[in-house]
Amino acid sequence: MNILGIETSCDETSASVVRDGRRVLSNVVATSLKEHQKFGGIIPEIASRRQLEFINIVTKEALVTAGLTLKDIDAVAVTTHPGLIGSLLVGISFANSLSFALNKPLIKVNHIHAHLYANCLSVFQGKNNGEGVIFKESSLPAVGLVVSGGHSSLFFIKDFRNMRLIGQTRDDAAGEAYDKVARILNLGYPGGPVIDRLSKNVSDNDIHFPCAMLPGTRDFSFSGVKTAVLYYTRQHSAKPGYSVERVAHAFQESVVKVLTEKSLEVARKKKVKALLVGGGVAANSALRSSLEAEALKSGIKVYFPGMPLCMDNAAMVAGLAYHYYKT
Ligand code: KG4
Ligand code: ZN
């Protein structure tokens, strides 16, 4: 079964064809990121206008790359929520029209759930997901951690139709905190990749920011560490020895520690053997190594999507849609 997926929840416009919920035949992504960078964040009005311009082009390219035509498509899948309303509407209207014209089903997909499903996709001629091991549905139940620009959420995944939200951020999402801290440190937008890169230059750090563990809950909070960075920067940035790299490293250390400890604590309590991670922050090198090392001690296997599938993409939408459709 070939499903054409459409993803337009934020500033990426993506179309993908996925076969039988697993094999990625194409995954085309266009982005208006550059236009937003000068504002230091996403401007919804610009994002939705670009969605409208890109959607036809990326969809055609996704079909050509897959070596298929519209006649080969068995269903159309689209992200319906959450996201920027103007951007979402472009994808939803487009997918709706396509499904009507082709007389094929329209499958509605939750963007956050799709981020977790990215761990099940196989790209590069079906060999693997680019880096790691592909998660198999038969290994469920699992705990899922979605860390993106808009969300920091924990799920209990009984099956892919049934993901139960069991914890979330009370204020900033992890990616949002990265972006805001990067703004404080004048590092540009998005903040995650640059903070990740700069932190690698620091081995020994005497700066430590607080970690909001919120004991007894499965929730997260990242606004405190962001404020700590702001106050530290105000007090120290003009002093000799001040280093942006060390501030970035200390911030990342706090975020990674909280994400690692809290998600593994939940996985242990739920007695699952797998932790699926997804969303833009899943690309973070420190989070990857910290989770892998700590999970090993508890006999838990951590899954991360290949780098391109951590970011917003339509393959995860088409893949999850297959499970919605078949059950
Ligand atoms: O999942 P995503 O592409 O879009 C949303 O659904 O939000 O995630 C974007 C977020 C941004 O906040 C960005 O700063 C963060 O993911 N991000 C990273 C890294 N790469 C992207 N955060 C930490 N480390 C990274 N390497
Ligand atoms: Zn996302």
Side-chain angles (χ1 to χ4, degrees), residues 4-16:
L4 172 66
I6 304 289
E7 154 64 41
T8 65
S9 65
C10 192
D11 59 322
E12 271 91 22
T13 314
S14 178
S16 161

Side-chain angles (χ1 to χ4, degrees), residues 133-183:
V133 184
I134 300 166
F135 182 76
K136 297 247 162 58
E137 213 185 344
S138 52
S139 306
L140 287 172
V143 164
L145 170 70
V146 180
V147 269
S148 70
H151 301 272
S152 300
S153 311
L154 281 166
F155 290 89
F156 180 69
I157 313 170
K158 203 164 135 241
D159 59 66
F160 284 115
R161 280 206 71 110
N162 192 342
M163 300 198 200
R164 189 158 53 87
L165 181 68
I166 54 173
Q168 59 190 320
T169 183
R170 293 188 178 179
D171 37 59
D172 290 348
E176 187 182 357
Y178 267 95
D179 297 337
K180 287 178 176 170
V181 162
R183 200 175 184 155

Side-chain angles (χ1 to χ4, degrees), residues 245-319:
E245 287 182 353
R246 284 196 293 127
V247 177
H249 177 272
F251 159 76
Q252 175 161 286
E253 191 178 48
S254 163
V255 173
V256 166
K257 187 169 193 280
V258 172
L259 290 173
T260 304
E261 287 189 15
K262 295 213 73 159
S263 49
L264 287 175
E265 187 187 334
V266 171
R268 280 190 293 266
K269 281 213 172 116
K270 293 277 175 196
K271 297 190 170 50
V272 298
K273 289 278 158 243
L275 174 68
L276 309 190
V277 190
V281 185
N284 187 268
S285 57
L287 180 65
R288 284 178 174 240
S289 42
S290 159
L291 272 176
E292 259 160 14
E294 292 304 313
L296 202 61
K297 295 179 190 163
S298 309
I300 295 166
K301 170 114 188 80
V302 190
Y303 293 81
F304 296 97
M307 288 295 181
L309 295 177
C310 287
M311 309 305 163
D312 288 350
N313 67 87
M316 63 187 194
V317 176

